Amino acid sequence: MVQKYQSPVRVYKHPFELVMAAYERRFPTCHLIPMFVASDVVEEETNEDGSTTRVERRCALDVDAPRLLKRIAGVDYVYFIQKNTLNRKERTLHIESHNETFSNRVIIHETCCYSVHPENEDWTCFEQTASLDIKSFFGFESTVEKIAMKQYASSIKKGKEIIEFYLKELEDEGITHIPRWTPSSLPLPLPRPASLFTNKLDADYIKRYLGDLTPLQESCLIRLRKWLQETHKGKIPKDEHILRFLRARDFNMDKAREILCQSLTWRKQHQVDYLLETWSSPQVLQDYYTGGWHHHDRDGRPLYVLRLGQMDTKGLVRALGEESLLRHVLSINEEGLRRCEENTKVFGRPISCWTCLVDLEGLNMRHLWRPGVKALLRIIEVVEANYPETLGRLLILRAPRVFPVLWTLVSPFIDENTRKKFLIYAGNDYQGPGGLVDYIDKEIIPDFLAGECMCEVPEGGLVPKSMYRTAEELENEDVRLWTETIYQSASIFKGAPHELLIEIIDASSVITWDFDMCKGDVVFNIYHSKRAPQPPRKDPLGPHGITSPVGNNVQLIDKSWTLGQDYSMVESPLICKEGESVQGSHVTRWPGFYILQWKFHSMPACSATNLPRVDDVLATLQVSSHKCKVMFYTEVLGSEDFRDSFNLSFSVQCAPVLSLTTLSSSCSVFFL
C-alpha cells in the first residue's frame, strides 16, 4: 500500500532570491542535518538566457536505523537522486528526489516547491509531498515504514529552521537584498492568482488554530480539504470541523470522508447551519430543561452544566415530543462549536471541544421509561454521527447507586473514545483531591456543588401535566412515542389481578419495569416460584360473571397455591395511584419463575367501626369502578451483560441487591 504525506505550506517572510541564496548554502553538506553526509553534482545545465538551471545531485544519507537492520541490508548509507529545476523568470524552484538504494524493494518519491507567496511578492512559500511504497524488505516492512516516517517528520521540522539559519547568516554578512532576474526582452512575470493557494495551510495557522499535528495528520487534513473543494457542492466546513472527523476515525481518510460527507448532507437537509438563528426554545424548555453554559474550565474549554437529577425528562418528552428535544440538543452543540471558536481567539490556542459537568443528585430509576430511553438513544446516535470529538471531558458528580443501570442502557451507544473521557464521582468525592478543582477554577464552581459561583441553570421540577400533548399530536409530528408496540395494556378487576411471568435462568439478572396507571389504584407485587405456573389463562368473564370488555387480563397464580410454600414475595407491596408513573428494577437472587402482579386496590375499612365506608358500599354497585387499567413495559438484563457493560473504574459502589421503585416523571441523559 502506498503511503502519501503532504506538509503544510511554510512561509518565509523574505524574497524568493534571498531564500534561494540561503538554500544553496545547504550543499554539499549541512552541519545542521547530521544524517546528510555528502552530495555530489552529477549533472548541471543552464539554458541560453540563463533563466533556468537544472542540477542533479547524488546525496548520501546516514539513516537513523537500528544497526541490526543496516547489517541485514548490507549498507551504511542510503543514496538518493535529487533533481532541482530553478526558474528565475517565474521565481520557482522544483525539487524531485527518489531513492537509489533498494529501489527494487522500497520506492520513495518526494517533490518540493519554493514559490512566491500569492498575496505578497516579497515572501516565499515552501510545500512538500512524499510517497512511500514498500514492496518487501527482509520482513522488516513495518520497521522501515516507521523509520521513513520518522525521517520525513524530522525533515519537515528542520527544513524551515535550516533556511532561516542561513538567512540569518546572509544578514550577518550584510547580504539583505539580491536583485531579481529581469532580462530586458521579457516582461516581468505576473504573480500567481490567490485561488491556487486556497487549498493550502500555513504552518503557523495550524499551530495557532488546529494544534500540534504529525506530518501524516497534516497531510490527511490538507488532502481531505482539497478533495472537498474539488468535489463537494455547497458550503465547505472549516478546517477544525474536518479535523474532528479525521480524529474520530484515527485519520483514516476513506472512513473520515464517508462520515463527513454524510454529515454535510444531513446539515444541508435540516438547515443545521442556520439553527442558532432560527431555533427558539419553547418556554417549557427554558423553565424545565436543567442545563446551561457556565464559564469555562481550566483548559479554556466552554463548560456546560446539566443538573440531570432534577430534570423531568418524561414530562419534557410528553410536552414537546422527541423532535423538539433533539433540535434543542443540536442547538446546544452548535452553540458549543461557536463558543470554542471564541475561546480559541480569547486564549490564543486551539480549543476544539468543551467540558460537560453532570450532577446526578436526585437521579433514580425513572430513566427506565422506555420512550424516554428511545429518544435518548436517537439523540446519542445523531450527535455521535455529526459532532464527533466535541466532548473533551465529562465530569459526572454525585453518582447514585442506580447509576450502573443507567450506564448499562446508554454506554453501548457511546463511542469508545468518548467513554474514555468520563470521570465519575460518587457522593462528595468530587470535593476532595483529584476532584472538581483539578478541572475547574474554585471561583466558578456552581453554588449547588458547594461552590461560590451562582449558576443560572434552571432548577427543573415536574412539568405540569396540563402541558402534555396527546398521542395524536405527537403522532402528527412523526414522533411515535405512544404508538410503539413495546408497551402492553391490561385491565385489572377486583378479584382478577393481571400477572406477568418472567423466567430467570441466571441468578442476579435484573428485571426492570415501567408502567403508567391509566385508571384506578393498584397494588404492585413481585413473587418467586421454583416451579412453573400453569399456562396463562385469560379470564373471559369479569368479576360478578359480567363479560370483560377487554380480554387482556392474565392470571398465573393458581388459587390452590399457598404463599410462603408454593411461592414467595420478593418485594414489599407497592400501592400505585391513578395517574402515577412507576419505574424500578429487581436484582434476582435465585433462578426460577418470577411473577409481576398488578392487583386491584380496595379502600381500607373505617378504622373506628371496622365497617365498610359508604364509598366502598356504593363502589360495589358499579362494575366500572372495579376496573383499573395499566400500560406497562418490562425487560430483563442478563447478569453477564449487566456486569460487562459497566466495566468502569470509579468509586460508585453498588449493593449486591438493587431494588428501587420510584414515582412520578422519568429521567434520561440528554447532555451530549
Side-chain angles (χ1 to χ4, degrees):
M1 180 179 178
V2 179
Q3 296 288 346
K4 296 182 178 180
Y5 312 100
Q6 181 169 345
S7 74
V9 174
R10 315 295 180 184
V11 178
Y12 302 97
K13 297 181 180 180
H14 299 276
F16 175 80
E17 289 72 22
L18 200 61
V19 172
M20 289 300 97
Y23 174 77
E24 286 298 323
R25 295 200 173 199
R26 294 180 53 177
F27 301 100
T29 61
C30 178
H31 70 280
L32 298 175
I33 313 177
M35 64 174 291
F36 190 72
V37 178
S39 65
D40 299 318
V41 176
V42 178
E43 183 179 349
E44 182 175 0
E45 64 175 353
T46 303
N47 65 351
E48 294 181 359
D49 62 4
S51 63
T52 304
T53 299
R54 295 182 178 86
V55 179
E56 180 176 331
R57 293 184 177 91
R58 187 170 186 261
C59 306
L61 304 181
D62 185 8
V63 178
D64 184 16
R67 183 173 298 275
L68 176 62
L69 184 59
K70 287 185 177 182
R71 291 183 61 184
I72 294 175
V75 298
D76 290 326
Y77 301 126
V78 176
Y79 289 91
F80 276 76
I81 301 299
Q82 183 193 74
K83 297 180 180 181
N84 292 358
T85 302
L86 174 62
N87 191 318
R88 299 178 180 85
K89 179 176 65 175
E90 296 182 0
R91 304 177 75 194
T92 61
L93 173 65
H94 290 280
I95 306 170
E96 291 189 10
S97 63
H98 65 273
N99 62 304
E100 182 183 65
T101 309
F102 300 119
S103 58
N104 61 329
R105 295 179 177 273
V106 180
I107 300 175
I108 301 175
H109 186 262
E110 185 178 43
T111 61
C112 306
C113 179
Y114 287 89
S115 59
V116 178
H117 194 286
E119 298 177 0
N120 190 329
E121 61 181 14
D122 290 329
W123 290 359
T124 305
C125 296
F126 172 76
E127 51 189 303
Q128 180 179 13
T129 62
S131 64
L132 171 66
D133 186 8
I134 302 178
K135 305 296 184 182
S136 64
F137 204 86
F138 313 107
F140 290 89
E141 289 78 13
S142 60
T143 302
V144 172
E145 182 177 355
K146 292 178 181 179
I147 293 173
M149 185 61 205
K150 179 181 178 181
Q151 300 294 347
Y152 181 70
S154 176
S155 172
I156 291 176
K157 183 177 181 181
K158 294 288 292 184
K160 187 176 181 180
E161 298 176 3
I162 293 169
I163 294 296
E164 289 177 342
F165 172 84
Y166 287 118
L167 284 169
K168 181 64 168 57
E169 190 175 79
L170 288 169
E171 182 182 355
D172 293 341
E173 296 174 5
I175 303 174
T176 58
H177 175 72
I178 296 177
R180 299 182 188 179
W181 184 88
T182 55
S184 57
S185 59
L186 294 175
L188 292 174
L190 296 175
R192 292 191 299 168
S195 60
L196 294 178
F197 245 72
T198 56
N199 63 343
K200 306 300 180 184
L201 298 176
D202 179 73
D204 295 334
Y205 160 79
I206 290 179
K207 185 176 181 180
R208 172 68 175 77
Y209 293 98
L210 304 180
D212 294 329
L213 301 175
T214 66
L216 176 60
Q217 293 170 347
E218 292 177 355
S219 174
C220 290
L221 175 59
I222 294 170
R223 288 159 55 200
L224 183 52
R225 185 173 186 258
K226 182 178 180 180
W227 181 86
L228 286 171
Q229 290 172 328
E230 294 174 350
T231 62
H232 188 71
K233 301 186 184 301
K235 185 177 180 180
I236 303 298
K238 297 179 180 179
D239 294 327
E240 49 265 43
H241 193 69
I242 299 175
L243 194 57
R244 288 189 181 96
F245 285 85
L246 284 167
R247 285 173 172 152
R249 291 299 179 268
D250 296 324
F251 286 86
N252 183 304
M253 278 282 294
D254 294 334
K255 293 181 180 179
R257 180 168 52 199
E258 180 181 356
I259 62 173
L260 176 58
C261 289
Q262 292 174 354
S263 179
L264 292 176
T265 301
W266 171 82
R267 294 182 70 89
K268 183 177 180 180
Q269 289 176 342
H270 299 282
Q271 298 292 296
V272 179
D273 288 334
Y274 311 102
L275 184 61
L276 291 180
E277 291 77 20
T278 59
W279 166 252
S280 179
S281 298
Q283 191 62 43
V284 66
L285 278 174
Q286 298 177 30
D287 295 338
Y288 296 98
Y289 191 90
T290 57
W293 295 100
H294 180 75
H295 300 282
H296 55 79
D297 68 5
R298 288 184 178 270
D299 296 321
R301 296 167 174 167
L303 176 63
Y304 190 83
V305 176
L306 182 70
R307 303 186 67 178
L308 183 59
Q310 309 300 317
M311 187 183 294
D312 178 12
T313 308
K314 182 179 222 177
L316 290 175
V317 173
R318 282 188 165 183
L320 295 169
E322 182 181 338
E323 292 299 324
S324 292
L325 274 177
L326 173 60
R327 192 159 290 269
H328 181 64
V329 173
L330 295 182
S331 71
I332 294 173
N333 281 270
E334 290 294 308
E335 174 67 16
L337 295 178
R338 187 186 67 79
R339 288 174 177 261
C340 285
E341 290 185 14
E342 292 180 351
N343 286 17
T344 295
K345 298 175 182 178
V346 171
F347 292 98
R349 61 178 184 273
I351 296 174
S352 60
C353 53
W354 54 81
T355 293
C356 187
L357 186 155
V358 182
D359 179 24
L360 298 185
E361 177 73 10
L363 184 72
N364 49 48
M365 294 300 295
R366 295 175 295 176
H367 72 282
L368 290 178
W369 182 63
R370 189 66 175 189
V373 173
K374 289 190 66 179
L376 166 65
L377 297 182
R378 185 195 171 198
I379 289 175
I380 292 177
E381 181 182 15
V382 172
V383 171
E384 286 278 327
N386 298 284
Y387 299 93
E389 296 297 319
T390 54
L391 181 65
R393 183 180 294 117
L394 181 65
L395 302 169
I396 299 178
L397 309 183
R398 301 198 280 194
R401 289 176 56 200
V402 300
F403 181 74
V405 181
L406 171 64
W407 183 255
T408 298
L409 295 173
V410 175
S411 61
F413 299 90
I414 300 177
D415 180 74
E416 182 179 356
N417 291 332
T418 302
R419 277 183 273 162
K420 293 177 181 178
K421 302 172 183 177
F422 286 30
L423 297 173
I424 306 170
Y425 301 88
N428 293 324
D429 291 347
Y430 69 93
Q431 297 178 356
L436 206 55
V437 292
D438 284 10
Y439 307 101
I440 301 174
D441 288 334
K442 182 179 180 181
E443 294 75 18
I444 65 169
I445 294 179
D447 52 338
F448 60 85
L449 292 174
E452 300 176 357
C453 186
M454 293 296 295
C455 183
E456 297 181 0
V457 172
E459 295 184 359
L462 298 180
V463 177
K465 292 188 176 181
S466 59
M467 293 184 173
Y468 286 9
R469 305 175 72 179
T470 65
E472 291 75 15
E473 290 175 323
L474 296 177
E475 185 177 3
N476 290 337
E477 294 184 4
D478 293 327
V479 187
R480 304 179 180 276
L481 296 178
W482 296 104
T483 58
E484 300 285 350
T485 57
I486 58 172
Y487 274 81
Q488 303 178 53
S489 60
S491 297
I492 297 100
F493 303 91
K494 189 173 184 179
H498 178 73
E499 296 165 342
L500 178 69
L501 179 67
I502 298 177
E503 183 178 3
I504 297 297
I505 304 299
D506 297 325
S508 298
S509 296
V510 182
I511 302 175
T512 65
W513 57 82
D514 169 30
F515 59 89
D516 284 4
M517 290 308 308
C518 303
K519 181 180 180 181
D521 302 342
V522 302
V523 179
F524 178 65
N525 291 296
I526 305 179
Y527 301 99
H528 172 262
S529 174
K530 294 182 180 179
R531 60 170 175 163
Q534 294 297 318
R537 55 186 177 87
K538 293 186 178 182
D539 189 0
L541 297 180
H544 315 293
I546 299 178
T547 302
S548 171
V550 182
N552 59 356
N553 178 273
V554 178
Q555 298 173 45
L556 298 166
I557 299 177
D558 195 277
K559 293 182 179 180
S560 63
W561 280 19
T562 302
L563 183 62
Q565 180 177 336
D566 300 293
Y567 66 110
S568 59
M569 182 179 293
V570 297
E571 287 278 357
S572 300
L574 179 68
I575 299 175
C576 308
K577 301 291 185 178
E578 180 175 333
E580 288 182 342
S581 299
V582 181
Q583 294 81 35
S585 68
H586 175 78
V587 178
T588 61
R589 297 184 179 182
W590 316 279
F593 301 90
Y594 288 78
I595 301 172
L596 276 58
Q597 181 193 73
W598 291 268
K599 183 179 180 180
F600 185 91
H601 176 55
S602 300
M603 292 291 184
C606 178
S607 58
T609 63
N610 290 326
L611 295 175
R613 298 189 306 177
V614 174
D615 291 342
D616 297 335
V617 176
L618 293 176
T620 61
L621 302 177
Q622 302 177 17
V623 174
S624 60
S625 68
H626 294 271
K627 175 184 174 183
C628 300
K629 187 173 182 179
V630 61
M631 183 173 67
F632 66 93
Y633 174 83
T634 63
E635 186 175 8
V636 177
L637 303 176
S639 57
E640 192 65 30
D641 294 338
F642 180 80
R643 288 193 297 269
D644 290 347
S645 61
F646 189 61
N647 187 19
L648 286 176
S649 298
F650 66 100
S651 59
V652 176
Q653 302 296 325
C654 301
V657 177
L658 174 63
S659 176
L660 294 178
T661 304
T662 56
L663 301 178
S664 75
S665 328
S666 99
C667 206
S668 300
V669 189
F670 288 98
F671 57 81
L672 296 178

